[in-house]
Each structure stands twice: as structure tokens, then as C-alpha cells.
Amino acid sequence: QKEVEQDPGPLSVPEGAIVSLNCTYSNSAFQYFMWYRQYSRKGPELLMYTYSSGNKEDGRFTAQVDKSSKYISLFIRDSQPSDSATYLCAMSAEYGNKLVFGAGTILRVKS
Amino acid sequence: NAGVTQTPKFRILKIGQSMTLQCTQDMNHNYMYWYRQDPGMGLKLIYYSVGAGITDKGEVPNGYNVSRSTTEDFPLRLELAAPSQTSVYFCASSYGQGDTGELFFGEGSRLTVL
């Protein structure tokens, strides 16, 4: 079993849709959770960062962590074609280092 | 500020050849990392460094070597290239302990071994 599971997609949605991206994990020591966005032929860039359980909102993006279920989510409201990218979840037991990445989900937003 | 710069962007190697992927950062970050990314597999940590002169193995270090003689540079050496090393390689850096742990990535180096 992989330490972090993420459906690779692709996930195709119409413009304006609400998108839900998810990861599950097996290591209960993970407490730092991140979402990275990666455009085609580019390096990943940090999108959201959450510590422990709870929600965090930033504009159209909301990150949720449920440590009891070992499940994290990223919601994108009013999705735009510019949101088309690969979204990677990442998590760590130590403060931001030795991140374990999910496989990444390819998202395509159609105009 | 250029951030993290990787060279070359693309390279084709023959089996058994050697090469070095270069990585430099201008953010004065202490921590630097090398990852490889294969389709559907996410990012796998090859080697990392917490400062000049200090390196350590990650999850998939076999077939690679690194050195860190300066804060800015963290080259990755491939000895005796094999087809299994065909991948996209990303260098990243971070401030390290005491911050959010955000990794700053370069644009990647695409390596094909034939």
C-alpha cells in the first residue's frame, strides 16, 4: 500500500464547476499537509498549506484535513480554464521537510 | 531573483554514459532537494541537503550521487545511465526548519536514456 494515495484522473469539468480533489494516507504521524499545483512542463508550486486538522480558505480554494479519516481534500470553486493543471498533495510528519507526494491528479477545465 | 535554476532542460543519454544535472538557487536557502517524477508516480526524493557539506539519501538514491560545496549549488550526478533513469528531474530548495517548509522548484530537466 502506498503511503499516500491520489487518483491520477484525468478529471474533466466544465468552466464554473466546483472541483473536489482528494488524497488518503496511511501514516498517522503526518501533520503538515500541502497542495501543489503543476502546470504542464513546469515545476510544482505551493497552492495551500494546512497544519493538522481543519479547513483553510484562500480565494476560490479551500483545503480540508480530516486526520481521523486520514483524508485531505482541495475544493476549487468557480473553476476556470487557467486552473487546468496537475494537483499534487504532499504531507510530512516533520516541519515541512521530507514531504511524501501523491501521484497527482490531472484537472482539465473546459471553457 | 531567478529562484531555482536547472540545466540542462533536456538531455538524451546512451546506456552507460554519465552526466551531471546542475541546480543553483539564489534565495540563500539552506535546504536543497532532488526529486524525480515519473508518470502516475508522483515525486520521489533522490537526495537532499540541509546545508553546505551535508547530504543524505532520500527514497530512491541508487544510481545517483550528489555534492554540496556551496549554499547555492546542488548538482546531481548520474553514473552509468540506465533506461530506468529516464524521468523528469526536479531540484527544489527551502529555508528549512522554522518556516512553512514551502519547497521552491526549478522547471525540471527531462532525461531520456536509450
Side-chain angles (χ1 to χ4, degrees), chain A residues 2 34 36 38 41-44 46 49 88 95-99 101-103, chain B residues 31 33 35 37 40 42-43 48 90 98-103 105-107 110:
Chain A
K2 290 182 182 178
M34 301 181 182
Y36 281 81
Q38 184 179 20
R41 307 257 170 184
K42 298 291 186 182
L46 183 66
Y49 171 86
L88 299 131
Y95 196 24
N97 296 309
K98 295 185 181 177
L99 287 175
F101 283 85
Chain B
Y31 285 50
Y33 313 81
Y35 287 90
Q37 186 176 37
L43 290 159
Y48 68 100
F90 287 99
D99 74 340
T100 62
E102 177 181 1
L103 297 185
F105 285 87
E107 294 207 335
R110 293 179 175 271

Side-chain angles (χ1 to χ4, degrees), chain A residues 11-78:
Chain A
L11 179 62
S12 187
V13 301
E15 183 176 355
I18 296 175
V19 176
S20 173
L21 304 168
N22 311 293
C23 290
T24 59
Y25 62 95
S26 57
N27 188 347
S28 58
F30 287 149
Q31 52 182 340
Y32 301 96
F33 303 93
M34 301 181 182
W35 286 94
Y36 281 81
R37 179 174 60 195
Q38 184 179 20
Y39 291 115
S40 181
R41 307 257 170 184
K42 298 291 186 182
E45 55 183 358
L46 183 66
L47 187 61
M48 298 284 283
Y49 171 86
T50 312
Y51 170 69
S52 193
S53 286
N55 293 3
K56 185 172 184 178
E57 188 172 320
D58 184 2
R60 296 184 294 112
F61 298 90
T62 300
Q64 285 186 353
V65 175
D66 182 350
K67 290 189 72 180
S68 61
S69 302
K70 297 191 181 67
Y71 188 87
I72 70 170
S73 301
L74 177 70
F75 297 96
I76 307 174
R77 291 183 299 279
D78 187 25

